PDB file of all heavy atoms in Angstrom:
ATOM      1  N   LEU A 138    -128.576 -27.141  23.597  1.00 98.00           N
ATOM      2  CA  LEU A 138    -128.547 -25.774  23.071  1.00 98.00           C
ATOM      3  C   LEU A 138    -128.904 -24.719  24.119  1.00 98.00           C
ATOM      4  O   LEU A 138    -129.183 -23.575  23.761  1.00 98.00           O
ATOM      5  CB  LEU A 138    -129.509 -25.663  21.877  1.00 98.00           C
ATOM      6  CG  LEU A 138    -129.212 -26.582  20.692  1.00 98.00           C
ATOM      7  CD1 LEU A 138    -130.214 -26.357  19.577  1.00 98.00           C
ATOM      8  CD2 LEU A 138    -127.796 -26.377  20.173  1.00 98.00           C
ATOM      9  N   ASP A 139    -128.851 -25.077  25.378  1.00 98.00           N
ATOM     10  CA  ASP A 139    -129.150 -24.117  26.446  1.00 98.00           C
ATOM     11  C   ASP A 139    -127.842 -23.552  26.990  1.00 98.00           C
ATOM     12  O   ASP A 139    -127.120 -24.213  27.738  1.00 98.00           O
ATOM     13  CB  ASP A 139    -129.937 -24.799  27.568  1.00 98.00           C
ATOM     14  CG  ASP A 139    -130.519 -23.809  28.561  1.00 98.00           C
ATOM     15  OD1 ASP A 139    -130.036 -22.659  28.601  1.00 98.00           O
ATOM     16  OD2 ASP A 139    -131.448 -24.184  29.301  1.00 98.00           O
ATOM     17  N   ASP A 140    -127.510 -22.311  26.589  1.00 98.00           N
ATOM     18  CA  ASP A 140    -126.234 -21.712  26.982  1.00 98.00           C
ATOM     19  C   ASP A 140    -126.270 -21.124  28.387  1.00 98.00           C
ATOM     20  O   ASP A 140    -125.299 -20.514  28.833  1.00 98.00           O
ATOM     21  CB  ASP A 140    -125.811 -20.638  25.979  1.00 98.00           C
ATOM     22  CG  ASP A 140    -126.775 -19.464  25.931  1.00 98.00           C
ATOM     23  OD1 ASP A 140    -127.919 -19.599  26.405  1.00 98.00           O
ATOM     24  OD2 ASP A 140    -126.384 -18.413  25.398  1.00 98.00           O
ATOM     25  N   ARG A 141    -127.363 -21.338  29.121  1.00 97.00           N
ATOM     26  CA  ARG A 141    -127.458 -20.830  30.495  1.00 97.00           C
ATOM     27  C   ARG A 141    -127.038 -21.869  31.526  1.00 97.00           C
ATOM     28  O   ARG A 141    -126.902 -21.540  32.705  1.00 97.00           O
ATOM     29  CB  ARG A 141    -128.894 -20.396  30.786  1.00 97.00           C
ATOM     30  CG  ARG A 141    -129.424 -19.308  29.857  1.00 97.00           C
ATOM     31  CD  ARG A 141    -130.929 -19.199  29.950  1.00 97.00           C
ATOM     32  NE  ARG A 141    -131.573 -20.458  29.539  1.00 97.00           N
ATOM     33  CZ  ARG A 141    -132.889 -20.652  29.521  1.00 97.00           C
ATOM     34  NH1 ARG A 141    -133.705 -19.671  29.886  1.00 97.00           N
ATOM     35  NH2 ARG A 141    -133.393 -21.814  29.143  1.00 97.00           N
ATOM     36  N   VAL A 142    -126.833 -23.120  31.090  1.00 97.00           N
ATOM     37  CA  VAL A 142    -126.560 -24.187  32.057  1.00 97.00           C
ATOM     38  C   VAL A 142    -125.274 -24.915  31.695  1.00 97.00           C
ATOM     39  O   VAL A 142    -124.772 -24.835  30.563  1.00 97.00           O
ATOM     40  CB  VAL A 142    -127.728 -25.195  32.105  1.00 97.00           C
ATOM     41  CG1 VAL A 142    -129.022 -24.484  32.480  1.00 97.00           C
ATOM     42  CG2 VAL A 142    -127.899 -25.907  30.767  1.00 97.00           C
ATOM     43  N   SER A 143    -124.741 -25.648  32.658  1.00 97.00           N
ATOM     44  CA  SER A 143    -123.527 -26.443  32.437  1.00 97.00           C
ATOM     45  C   SER A 143    -123.718 -27.827  33.047  1.00 97.00           C
ATOM     46  O   SER A 143    -122.915 -28.288  33.845  1.00 97.00           O
ATOM     47  CB  SER A 143    -122.307 -25.748  33.049  1.00 97.00           C
ATOM     48  OG  SER A 143    -122.490 -25.559  34.440  1.00 97.00           O
ATOM     49  N   TYR A 144    -124.801 -28.481  32.660  1.00 95.00           N
ATOM     50  CA  TYR A 144    -125.075 -29.830  33.143  1.00 95.00           C
ATOM     51  C   TYR A 144    -125.948 -30.537  32.112  1.00 95.00           C
ATOM     52  O   TYR A 144    -126.463 -29.933  31.163  1.00 95.00           O
ATOM     53  CB  TYR A 144    -125.810 -29.792  34.489  1.00 95.00           C
ATOM     54  CG  TYR A 144    -127.147 -29.080  34.440  1.00 95.00           C
ATOM     55  CD1 TYR A 144    -128.303 -29.713  33.975  1.00 95.00           C
ATOM     56  CD2 TYR A 144    -127.253 -27.755  34.840  1.00 95.00           C
ATOM     57  CE1 TYR A 144    -129.516 -29.054  33.915  1.00 95.00           C
ATOM     58  CE2 TYR A 144    -128.473 -27.083  34.786  1.00 95.00           C
ATOM     59  CZ  TYR A 144    -129.605 -27.739  34.326  1.00 95.00           C
ATOM     60  OH  TYR A 144    -130.800 -27.080  34.252  1.00 95.00           O
ATOM     61  N   GLY A 145    -126.131 -31.845  32.296  1.00 95.00           N
ATOM     62  CA  GLY A 145    -127.098 -32.601  31.521  1.00 95.00           C
ATOM     63  C   GLY A 145    -126.669 -33.017  30.141  1.00 95.00           C
ATOM     64  O   GLY A 145    -127.509 -33.464  29.353  1.00 95.00           O
ATOM     65  N   VAL A 146    -125.374 -32.889  29.816  1.00 96.00           N
ATOM     66  CA  VAL A 146    -124.914 -33.281  28.488  1.00 96.00           C
ATOM     67  C   VAL A 146    -123.676 -34.165  28.606  1.00 96.00           C
ATOM     68  O   VAL A 146    -123.007 -34.184  29.638  1.00 96.00           O
ATOM     69  CB  VAL A 146    -124.590 -32.053  27.609  1.00 96.00           C
ATOM     70  CG1 VAL A 146    -125.847 -31.250  27.329  1.00 96.00           C
ATOM     71  CG2 VAL A 146    -123.529 -31.181  28.271  1.00 96.00           C
ATOM     72  N   ALA A 147    -123.392 -34.888  27.543  1.00 94.00           N
ATOM     73  CA  ALA A 147    -122.219 -35.767  27.507  1.00 94.00           C
ATOM     74  C   ALA A 147    -121.780 -35.918  26.063  1.00 94.00           C
ATOM     75  O   ALA A 147    -122.471 -35.487  25.132  1.00 94.00           O
ATOM     76  CB  ALA A 147    -122.546 -37.131  28.111  1.00 94.00           C
ATOM     77  N   MET A 148    -120.621 -36.523  25.873  1.00 96.00           N
ATOM     78  CA  MET A 148    -120.149 -36.890  24.539  1.00 96.00           C
ATOM     79  C   MET A 148    -120.111 -38.407  24.455  1.00 96.00           C
ATOM     80  O   MET A 148    -120.407 -39.125  25.413  1.00 96.00           O
ATOM     81  CB  MET A 148    -118.777 -36.277  24.268  1.00 96.00           C
ATOM     82  CG  MET A 148    -118.785 -34.752  24.215  1.00 96.00           C
ATOM     83  SD  MET A 148    -119.842 -34.059  22.905  1.00 96.00           S
ATOM     84  CE  MET A 148    -118.842 -34.420  21.464  1.00 96.00           C
ATOM     85  N   ASN A 149    -119.751 -38.908  23.305  1.00 95.00           N
ATOM     86  CA  ASN A 149    -119.729 -40.336  23.055  1.00 95.00           C
ATOM     87  C   ASN A 149    -118.649 -41.035  23.871  1.00 95.00           C
ATOM     88  O   ASN A 149    -117.541 -40.519  24.035  1.00 95.00           O
ATOM     89  CB  ASN A 149    -119.504 -40.591  21.571  1.00 95.00           C
ATOM     90  CG  ASN A 149    -118.440 -39.690  20.974  1.00 95.00           C
ATOM     91  OD1 ASN A 149    -118.671 -38.482  20.869  1.00 95.00           O
ATOM     92  ND2 ASN A 149    -117.292 -40.237  20.602  1.00 95.00           N
ATOM     93  N   ARG A 150    -118.944 -42.240  24.364  1.00 94.00           N
ATOM     94  CA  ARG A 150    -117.992 -42.993  25.175  1.00 94.00           C
ATOM     95  C   ARG A 150    -116.894 -43.647  24.336  1.00 94.00           C
ATOM     96  O   ARG A 150    -115.936 -44.175  24.887  1.00 94.00           O
ATOM     97  CB  ARG A 150    -118.722 -44.078  25.972  1.00 94.00           C
ATOM     98  CG  ARG A 150    -119.581 -43.527  27.094  1.00 94.00           C
ATOM     99  CD  ARG A 150    -119.912 -44.587  28.125  1.00 94.00           C
ATOM    100  NE  ARG A 150    -120.721 -43.999  29.177  1.00 94.00           N
ATOM    101  CZ  ARG A 150    -121.967 -44.349  29.466  1.00 94.00           C
ATOM    102  NH1 ARG A 150    -122.539 -45.318  28.772  1.00 94.00           N
ATOM    103  NH2 ARG A 150    -122.626 -43.754  30.434  1.00 94.00           N
ATOM    104  N   SER A 151    -117.053 -43.643  23.054  1.00 93.00           N
ATOM    105  CA  SER A 151    -116.071 -44.257  22.162  1.00 93.00           C
ATOM    106  C   SER A 151    -116.219 -43.609  20.796  1.00 93.00           C
ATOM    107  O   SER A 151    -117.271 -43.058  20.463  1.00 93.00           O
ATOM    108  CB  SER A 151    -116.310 -45.769  22.064  1.00 93.00           C
ATOM    109  OG  SER A 151    -115.570 -46.336  21.010  1.00 93.00           O
ATOM    110  N   LEU A 152    -115.151 -43.671  20.003  1.00 90.00           N
ATOM    111  CA  LEU A 152    -115.243 -43.186  18.629  1.00 90.00           C
ATOM    112  C   LEU A 152    -115.713 -44.272  17.667  1.00 90.00           C
ATOM    113  O   LEU A 152    -115.975 -43.996  16.499  1.00 90.00           O
ATOM    114  CB  LEU A 152    -113.897 -42.639  18.173  1.00 90.00           C
ATOM    115  CG  LEU A 152    -113.482 -41.298  18.789  1.00 90.00           C
ATOM    116  CD1 LEU A 152    -112.074 -40.917  18.334  1.00 90.00           C
ATOM    117  CD2 LEU A 152    -114.469 -40.192  18.432  1.00 90.00           C
ATOM    118  N   SER A 153    -115.823 -45.511  18.148  1.00 90.00           N
ATOM    119  CA  SER A 153    -116.197 -46.598  17.253  1.00 90.00           C
ATOM    120  C   SER A 153    -117.232 -47.551  17.836  1.00 90.00           C
ATOM    121  O   SER A 153    -117.758 -48.383  17.095  1.00 90.00           O
ATOM    122  CB  SER A 153    -114.954 -47.413  16.861  1.00 90.00           C
ATOM    123  OG  SER A 153    -114.325 -47.949  18.009  1.00 90.00           O
ATOM    124  N   ALA A 154    -117.525 -47.453  19.135  1.00 92.00           N
ATOM    125  CA  ALA A 154    -118.455 -48.407  19.741  1.00 92.00           C
ATOM    126  C   ALA A 154    -119.310 -47.754  20.816  1.00 92.00           C
ATOM    127  O   ALA A 154    -119.673 -48.395  21.806  1.00 92.00           O
ATOM    128  CB  ALA A 154    -117.693 -49.598  20.316  1.00 92.00           C
ATOM    129  N   ALA A 155    -119.656 -46.485  20.654  1.00 95.00           N
ATOM    130  CA  ALA A 155    -120.425 -45.767  21.672  1.00 95.00           C
ATOM    131  C   ALA A 155    -121.895 -46.175  21.622  1.00 95.00           C
ATOM    132  O   ALA A 155    -122.491 -46.264  20.550  1.00 95.00           O
ATOM    133  CB  ALA A 155    -120.292 -44.266  21.476  1.00 95.00           C
ATOM    134  N   THR A 156    -122.481 -46.408  22.795  1.00 95.00           N
ATOM    135  CA  THR A 156    -123.899 -46.758  22.897  1.00 95.00           C
ATOM    136  C   THR A 156    -124.613 -45.883  23.924  1.00 95.00           C
ATOM    137  O   THR A 156    -125.665 -46.261  24.440  1.00 95.00           O
ATOM    138  CB  THR A 156    -124.074 -48.236  23.277  1.00 95.00           C
ATOM    139  OG1 THR A 156    -123.416 -48.492  24.526  1.00 95.00           O
ATOM    140  CG2 THR A 156    -123.491 -49.149  22.213  1.00 95.00           C
ATOM    141  N   ASN A 157    -124.039 -44.707  24.220  1.00 96.00           N
ATOM    142  CA  ASN A 157    -124.650 -43.808  25.204  1.00 96.00           C
ATOM    143  C   ASN A 157    -125.327 -42.609  24.557  1.00 96.00           C
ATOM    144  O   ASN A 157    -125.495 -41.574  25.180  1.00 96.00           O
ATOM    145  CB  ASN A 157    -123.588 -43.332  26.202  1.00 96.00           C
ATOM    146  CG  ASN A 157    -122.531 -42.438  25.550  1.00 96.00           C
ATOM    147  OD1 ASN A 157    -122.101 -42.697  24.422  1.00 96.00           O
ATOM    148  ND2 ASN A 157    -122.093 -41.401  26.254  1.00 96.00           N
ATOM    149  N   GLY A 158    -125.722 -42.756  23.296  1.00 97.00           N
ATOM    150  CA  GLY A 158    -126.431 -41.678  22.617  1.00 97.00           C
ATOM    151  C   GLY A 158    -127.899 -41.644  22.980  1.00 97.00           C
ATOM    152  O   GLY A 158    -128.385 -42.417  23.826  1.00 97.00           O
ATOM    153  N   GLY A 159    -128.643 -40.756  22.330  1.00 97.00           N
ATOM    154  CA  GLY A 159    -130.072 -40.658  22.589  1.00 97.00           C
ATOM    155  C   GLY A 159    -130.809 -41.879  22.077  1.00 97.00           C
ATOM    156  O   GLY A 159    -130.483 -42.413  21.009  1.00 97.00           O
ATOM    157  N   PRO A 160    -131.810 -42.375  22.806  1.00 97.00           N
ATOM    158  CA  PRO A 160    -132.565 -43.551  22.357  1.00 97.00           C
ATOM    159  C   PRO A 160    -133.384 -43.251  21.109  1.00 97.00           C
ATOM    160  O   PRO A 160    -133.752 -42.109  20.840  1.00 97.00           O
ATOM    161  CB  PRO A 160    -133.457 -43.869  23.554  1.00 97.00           C
ATOM    162  CG  PRO A 160    -133.583 -42.581  24.303  1.00 97.00           C
ATOM    163  CD  PRO A 160    -132.291 -41.858  24.095  1.00 97.00           C
ATOM    164  N   ASP A 161    -133.668 -44.309  20.345  1.00 98.00           N
ATOM    165  CA  ASP A 161    -134.446 -44.196  19.116  1.00 98.00           C
ATOM    166  C   ASP A 161    -135.888 -44.627  19.378  1.00 98.00           C
ATOM    167  O   ASP A 161    -136.163 -45.418  20.289  1.00 98.00           O
ATOM    168  CB  ASP A 161    -133.845 -45.056  18.009  1.00 98.00           C
ATOM    169  CG  ASP A 161    -132.416 -44.658  17.681  1.00 98.00           C
ATOM    170  OD1 ASP A 161    -131.994 -43.568  18.093  1.00 98.00           O
ATOM    171  OD2 ASP A 161    -131.727 -45.454  17.015  1.00 98.00           O
ATOM    172  N   TYR A 162    -136.793 -44.143  18.526  1.00 98.00           N
ATOM    173  CA  TYR A 162    -138.215 -44.420  18.726  1.00 98.00           C
ATOM    174  C   TYR A 162    -138.882 -44.752  17.399  1.00 98.00           C
ATOM    175  O   TYR A 162    -138.491 -44.249  16.342  1.00 98.00           O
ATOM    176  CB  TYR A 162    -138.921 -43.212  19.347  1.00 98.00           C
ATOM    177  CG  TYR A 162    -138.372 -42.800  20.690  1.00 98.00           C
ATOM    178  CD1 TYR A 162    -137.410 -41.785  20.774  1.00 98.00           C
ATOM    179  CD2 TYR A 162    -138.784 -43.418  21.862  1.00 98.00           C
ATOM    180  CE1 TYR A 162    -136.891 -41.400  22.007  1.00 98.00           C
ATOM    181  CE2 TYR A 162    -138.265 -43.043  23.091  1.00 98.00           C
ATOM    182  CZ  TYR A 162    -137.323 -42.029  23.162  1.00 98.00           C
ATOM    183  OH  TYR A 162    -136.803 -41.661  24.372  1.00 98.00           O
ATOM    184  N   PHE A 163    -139.924 -45.594  17.487  1.00 98.00           N
ATOM    185  CA  PHE A 163    -140.825 -45.834  16.366  1.00 98.00           C
ATOM    186  C   PHE A 163    -142.206 -45.304  16.737  1.00 98.00           C
ATOM    187  O   PHE A 163    -142.613 -45.326  17.900  1.00 98.00           O
ATOM    188  CB  PHE A 163    -140.919 -47.327  16.036  1.00 98.00           C
ATOM    189  CG  PHE A 163    -139.700 -47.869  15.363  1.00 98.00           C
ATOM    190  CD1 PHE A 163    -138.601 -48.266  16.107  1.00 98.00           C
ATOM    191  CD2 PHE A 163    -139.629 -47.982  13.986  1.00 98.00           C
ATOM    192  CE1 PHE A 163    -137.471 -48.760  15.502  1.00 98.00           C
ATOM    193  CE2 PHE A 163    -138.502 -48.480  13.363  1.00 98.00           C
ATOM    194  CZ  PHE A 163    -137.413 -48.870  14.121  1.00 98.00           C
ATOM    195  N   PHE A 164    -142.920 -44.837  15.711  1.00 98.00           N
ATOM    196  CA  PHE A 164    -144.284 -44.374  15.885  1.00 98.00           C
ATOM    197  C   PHE A 164    -145.165 -45.168  14.921  1.00 98.00           C
ATOM    198  O   PHE A 164    -145.061 -45.010  13.707  1.00 98.00           O
ATOM    199  CB  PHE A 164    -144.385 -42.874  15.606  1.00 98.00           C
ATOM    200  CG  PHE A 164    -143.653 -42.032  16.613  1.00 98.00           C
ATOM    201  CD1 PHE A 164    -142.294 -41.778  16.475  1.00 98.00           C
ATOM    202  CD2 PHE A 164    -144.312 -41.508  17.716  1.00 98.00           C
ATOM    203  CE1 PHE A 164    -141.608 -41.021  17.409  1.00 98.00           C
ATOM    204  CE2 PHE A 164    -143.633 -40.749  18.655  1.00 98.00           C
ATOM    205  CZ  PHE A 164    -142.278 -40.500  18.505  1.00 98.00           C
ATOM    206  N   ARG A 165    -145.995 -46.025  15.483  1.00 98.00           N
ATOM    207  CA  ARG A 165    -146.887 -46.854  14.669  1.00 98.00           C
ATOM    208  C   ARG A 165    -148.200 -46.130  14.441  1.00 98.00           C
ATOM    209  O   ARG A 165    -148.863 -45.702  15.386  1.00 98.00           O
ATOM    210  CB  ARG A 165    -147.131 -48.202  15.359  1.00 98.00           C
ATOM    211  CG  ARG A 165    -147.857 -49.218  14.477  1.00 98.00           C
ATOM    212  CD  ARG A 165    -148.063 -50.536  15.202  1.00 98.00           C
ATOM    213  NE  ARG A 165    -149.042 -50.411  16.270  1.00 98.00           N
ATOM    214  CZ  ARG A 165    -150.370 -50.454  16.092  1.00 98.00           C
ATOM    215  NH1 ARG A 165    -150.860 -50.637  14.872  1.00 98.00           N
ATOM    216  NH2 ARG A 165    -151.186 -50.337  17.110  1.00 98.00           N
ATOM    217  N   TRP A 166    -148.559 -45.980  13.161  1.00 98.00           N
ATOM    218  CA  TRP A 166    -149.790 -45.279  12.792  1.00 98.00           C
ATOM    219  C   TRP A 166    -150.993 -46.043  13.318  1.00 98.00           C
ATOM    220  O   TRP A 166    -151.126 -47.254  13.104  1.00 98.00           O
ATOM    221  CB  TRP A 166    -149.857 -45.169  11.273  1.00 98.00           C
ATOM    222  CG  TRP A 166    -150.873 -44.210  10.731  1.00 98.00           C
ATOM    223  CD1 TRP A 166    -150.680 -42.903  10.408  1.00 98.00           C
ATOM    224  CD2 TRP A 166    -152.250 -44.492  10.413  1.00 98.00           C
ATOM    225  NE1 TRP A 166    -151.845 -42.344   9.912  1.00 98.00           N
ATOM    226  CE2 TRP A 166    -152.823 -43.298   9.912  1.00 98.00           C
ATOM    227  CE3 TRP A 166    -153.044 -45.634  10.513  1.00 98.00           C
ATOM    228  CZ2 TRP A 166    -154.148 -43.218   9.497  1.00 98.00           C
ATOM    229  CZ3 TRP A 166    -154.373 -45.553  10.120  1.00 98.00           C
ATOM    230  CH2 TRP A 166    -154.909 -44.353   9.613  1.00 98.00           C
ATOM    231  N   THR A 167    -151.888 -45.342  14.027  1.00 97.00           N
ATOM    232  CA  THR A 167    -153.083 -45.996  14.574  1.00 97.00           C
ATOM    233  C   THR A 167    -154.372 -45.378  14.077  1.00 97.00           C
ATOM    234  O   THR A 167    -155.445 -45.911  14.353  1.00 97.00           O
ATOM    235  CB  THR A 167    -153.074 -45.958  16.120  1.00 97.00           C
ATOM    236  OG1 THR A 167    -153.033 -44.592  16.564  1.00 97.00           O
ATOM    237  CG2 THR A 167    -151.868 -46.714  16.663  1.00 97.00           C
ATOM    238  N   GLY A 168    -154.299 -44.267  13.366  1.00 95.00           N
ATOM    239  CA  GLY A 168    -155.519 -43.685  12.849  1.00 95.00           C
ATOM    240  C   GLY A 168    -155.366 -42.214  12.533  1.00 95.00           C
ATOM    241  O   GLY A 168    -154.317 -41.605  12.769  1.00 95.00           O
ATOM    242  N   ALA A 169    -156.407 -41.637  11.968  1.00 91.00           N
ATOM    243  CA  ALA A 169    -156.420 -40.211  11.637  1.00 91.00           C
ATOM    244  C   ALA A 169    -157.850 -39.725  11.676  1.00 91.00           C
ATOM    245  O   ALA A 169    -158.800 -40.479  11.440  1.00 91.00           O
ATOM    246  CB  ALA A 169    -155.806 -39.963  10.263  1.00 91.00           C
ATOM    247  N   ASP A 170    -158.006 -38.459  12.005  1.00 82.00           N
ATOM    248  CA  ASP A 170    -159.322 -37.830  11.998  1.00 82.00           C
ATOM    249  C   ASP A 170    -159.137 -36.358  11.664  1.00 82.00           C
ATOM    250  O   ASP A 170    -158.069 -35.934  11.205  1.00 82.00           O
ATOM    251  CB  ASP A 170    -160.034 -38.009  13.344  1.00 82.00           C
ATOM    252  CG  ASP A 170    -159.191 -37.547  14.524  1.00 82.00           C
ATOM    253  OD1 ASP A 170    -158.380 -36.606  14.360  1.00 82.00           O
ATOM    254  OD2 ASP A 170    -159.323 -38.129  15.612  1.00 82.00           O
ATOM    255  N   GLY A 171    -160.163 -35.555  11.895  1.00 74.00           N
ATOM    256  CA  GLY A 171    -160.087 -34.144  11.570  1.00 74.00           C
ATOM    257  C   GLY A 171    -159.028 -33.397  12.337  1.00 74.00           C
ATOM    258  O   GLY A 171    -158.608 -32.304  11.932  1.00 74.00           O
ATOM    259  N   ASN A 172    -158.559 -33.976  13.457  1.00 78.00           N
ATOM    260  CA  ASN A 172    -157.535 -33.316  14.271  1.00 78.00           C
ATOM    261  C   ASN A 172    -156.122 -33.735  13.897  1.00 78.00           C
ATOM    262  O   ASN A 172    -155.162 -33.221  14.466  1.00 78.00           O
ATOM    263  CB  ASN A 172    -157.781 -33.612  15.756  1.00 78.00           C
ATOM    264  CG  ASN A 172    -159.102 -33.043  16.244  1.00 78.00           C
ATOM    265  OD1 ASN A 172    -159.472 -31.931  15.875  1.00 78.00           O
ATOM    266  ND2 ASN A 172    -159.819 -33.812  17.051  1.00 78.00           N
ATOM    267  N   GLY A 173    -155.988 -34.684  12.971  1.00 86.00           N
ATOM    268  CA  GLY A 173    -154.653 -35.093  12.558  1.00 86.00           C
ATOM    269  C   GLY A 173    -154.449 -36.585  12.652  1.00 86.00           C
ATOM    270  O   GLY A 173    -155.410 -37.367  12.711  1.00 86.00           O
ATOM    271  N   ALA A 174    -153.169 -36.990  12.674  1.00 93.00           N
ATOM    272  CA  ALA A 174    -152.811 -38.399  12.719  1.00 93.00           C
ATOM    273  C   ALA A 174    -152.542 -38.828  14.157  1.00 93.00           C
ATOM    274  O   ALA A 174    -152.124 -38.031  14.989  1.00 93.00           O
ATOM    275  CB  ALA A 174    -151.580 -38.650  11.855  1.00 93.00           C
ATOM    276  N   ARG A 175    -152.791 -40.105  14.434  1.00 95.00           N
ATOM    277  CA  ARG A 175    -152.523 -40.671  15.756  1.00 95.00           C
ATOM    278  C   ARG A 175    -151.482 -41.771  15.624  1.00 95.00           C
ATOM    279  O   ARG A 175    -151.558 -42.607  14.713  1.00 95.00           O
ATOM    280  CB  ARG A 175    -153.796 -41.231  16.376  1.00 95.00           C
ATOM    281  CG  ARG A 175    -154.890 -40.193  16.596  1.00 95.00           C
ATOM    282  CD  ARG A 175    -156.046 -40.792  17.403  1.00 95.00           C
ATOM    283  NE  ARG A 175    -156.607 -41.975  16.750  1.00 95.00           N
ATOM    284  CZ  ARG A 175    -157.545 -41.941  15.812  1.00 95.00           C
ATOM    285  NH1 ARG A 175    -158.007 -40.771  15.399  1.00 95.00           N
ATOM    286  NH2 ARG A 175    -158.014 -43.053  15.280  1.00 95.00           N
ATOM    287  N   TYR A 176    -150.520 -41.751  16.529  1.00 97.00           N
ATOM    288  CA  TYR A 176    -149.439 -42.730  16.512  1.00 97.00           C
ATOM    289  C   TYR A 176    -149.233 -43.308  17.905  1.00 97.00           C
ATOM    290  O   TYR A 176    -149.420 -42.624  18.914  1.00 97.00           O
ATOM    291  CB  TYR A 176    -148.124 -42.091  16.055  1.00 97.00           C
ATOM    292  CG  TYR A 176    -148.107 -41.676  14.610  1.00 97.00           C
ATOM    293  CD1 TYR A 176    -148.535 -40.408  14.232  1.00 97.00           C
ATOM    294  CD2 TYR A 176    -147.665 -42.547  13.620  1.00 97.00           C
ATOM    295  CE1 TYR A 176    -148.521 -40.013  12.902  1.00 97.00           C
ATOM    296  CE2 TYR A 176    -147.650 -42.163  12.292  1.00 97.00           C
ATOM    297  CZ  TYR A 176    -148.084 -40.896  11.940  1.00 97.00           C
ATOM    298  OH  TYR A 176    -148.074 -40.521  10.629  1.00 97.00           O
ATOM    299  N   GLN A 177    -148.818 -44.569  17.940  1.00 97.00           N
ATOM    300  CA  GLN A 177    -148.399 -45.208  19.183  1.00 97.00           C
ATOM    301  C   GLN A 177    -146.882 -45.133  19.270  1.00 97.00           C
ATOM    302  O   GLN A 177    -146.175 -45.626  18.389  1.00 97.00           O
ATOM    303  CB  GLN A 177    -148.848 -46.673  19.213  1.00 97.00           C
ATOM    304  CG  GLN A 177    -148.374 -47.441  20.444  1.00 97.00           C
ATOM    305  CD  GLN A 177    -148.624 -48.940  20.334  1.00 97.00           C
ATOM    306  OE1 GLN A 177    -148.974 -49.449  19.269  1.00 97.00           O
ATOM    307  NE2 GLN A 177    -148.427 -49.653  21.434  1.00 97.00           N
ATOM    308  N   LEU A 178    -146.374 -44.500  20.330  1.00 97.00           N
ATOM    309  CA  LEU A 178    -144.931 -44.394  20.522  1.00 97.00           C
ATOM    310  C   LEU A 178    -144.391 -45.717  21.043  1.00 97.00           C
ATOM    311  O   LEU A 178    -144.891 -46.262  22.041  1.00 97.00           O
ATOM    312  CB  LEU A 178    -144.600 -43.259  21.488  1.00 97.00           C
ATOM    313  CG  LEU A 178    -143.125 -42.912  21.687  1.00 97.00           C
ATOM    314  CD1 LEU A 178    -142.984 -41.455  22.113  1.00 97.00           C
ATOM    315  CD2 LEU A 178    -142.458 -43.794  22.749  1.00 97.00           C
ATOM    316  N   LEU A 179    -143.357 -46.240  20.389  1.00 97.00           N
ATOM    317  CA  LEU A 179    -142.719 -47.493  20.783  1.00 97.00           C
ATOM    318  C   LEU A 179    -141.256 -47.209  21.111  1.00 97.00           C
ATOM    319  O   LEU A 179    -140.509 -46.717  20.267  1.00 97.00           O
ATOM    320  CB  LEU A 179    -142.799 -48.516  19.653  1.00 97.00           C
ATOM    321  CG  LEU A 179    -144.216 -48.817  19.115  1.00 97.00           C
ATOM    322  CD1 LEU A 179    -144.144 -49.724  17.902  1.00 97.00           C
ATOM    323  CD2 LEU A 179    -145.081 -49.449  20.197  1.00 97.00           C
ATOM    324  N   ASP A 180    -140.836 -47.516  22.340  1.00 95.00           N
ATOM    325  CA  ASP A 180    -139.465 -47.223  22.751  1.00 95.00           C
ATOM    326  C   ASP A 180    -138.641 -48.468  23.032  1.00 95.00           C
ATOM    327  O   ASP A 180    -137.542 -48.388  23.568  1.00 95.00           O
ATOM    328  CB  ASP A 180    -139.461 -46.315  23.988  1.00 95.00           C
ATOM    329  CG  ASP A 180    -140.178 -46.936  25.182  1.00 95.00           C
ATOM    330  OD1 ASP A 180    -140.661 -48.088  25.059  1.00 95.00           O
ATOM    331  OD2 ASP A 180    -140.260 -46.274  26.231  1.00 95.00           O
ATOM    332  N   ASN A 181    -139.175 -49.646  22.664  1.00 95.00           N
ATOM    333  CA  ASN A 181    -138.464 -50.886  22.973  1.00 95.00           C
ATOM    334  C   ASN A 181    -138.319 -51.803  21.767  1.00 95.00           C
ATOM    335  O   ASN A 181    -138.169 -53.016  21.918  1.00 95.00           O
ATOM    336  CB  ASN A 181    -139.189 -51.628  24.097  1.00 95.00           C
ATOM    337  CG  ASN A 181    -140.637 -51.957  23.724  1.00 95.00           C
ATOM    338  OD1 ASN A 181    -141.132 -51.532  22.678  1.00 95.00           O
ATOM    339  ND2 ASN A 181    -141.317 -52.710  24.583  1.00 95.00           N
ATOM    340  N   VAL A 182    -138.381 -51.231  20.569  1.00 97.00           N
ATOM    341  CA  VAL A 182    -138.287 -52.053  19.364  1.00 97.00           C
ATOM    342  C   VAL A 182    -136.863 -52.549  19.147  1.00 97.00           C
ATOM    343  O   VAL A 182    -136.632 -53.706  18.774  1.00 97.00           O
ATOM    344  CB  VAL A 182    -138.768 -51.256  18.133  1.00 97.00           C
ATOM    345  CG1 VAL A 182    -138.505 -52.037  16.847  1.00 97.00           C
ATOM    346  CG2 VAL A 182    -140.240 -50.918  18.262  1.00 97.00           C
TER     347      VAL A 182
END
């Protein structure tokens, strides 16, 4: 959404088998306190 640049973006490599999209993440709940919730970011699930 940065209309000042013309780099850093791509489209899908296929209409039916593309795997070059943004990676997915899980956040495992590890606790909460007065400042909010704490999560462990997992990028290899």
Side-chain angles (χ1 to χ4, degrees):
L138 300 181
D139 192 341
D140 64 343
R141 301 165 299 180
V142 301
S143 59
Y144 60 81
V146 295
M148 295 299 286
N149 43 292
R150 289 199 179 117
S151 168
L152 288 176
S153 59
T156 58
N157 67 320
D161 300 345
Y162 300 95
F163 287 84
F164 293 85
R165 190 180 70 82
W166 194 93
T167 59
D170 53 31
N172 297 319
R175 299 188 303 274
Y176 292 89
Q177 176 190 11
L178 186 154
L179 305 174
D180 60 1
N181 59 354
V182 173

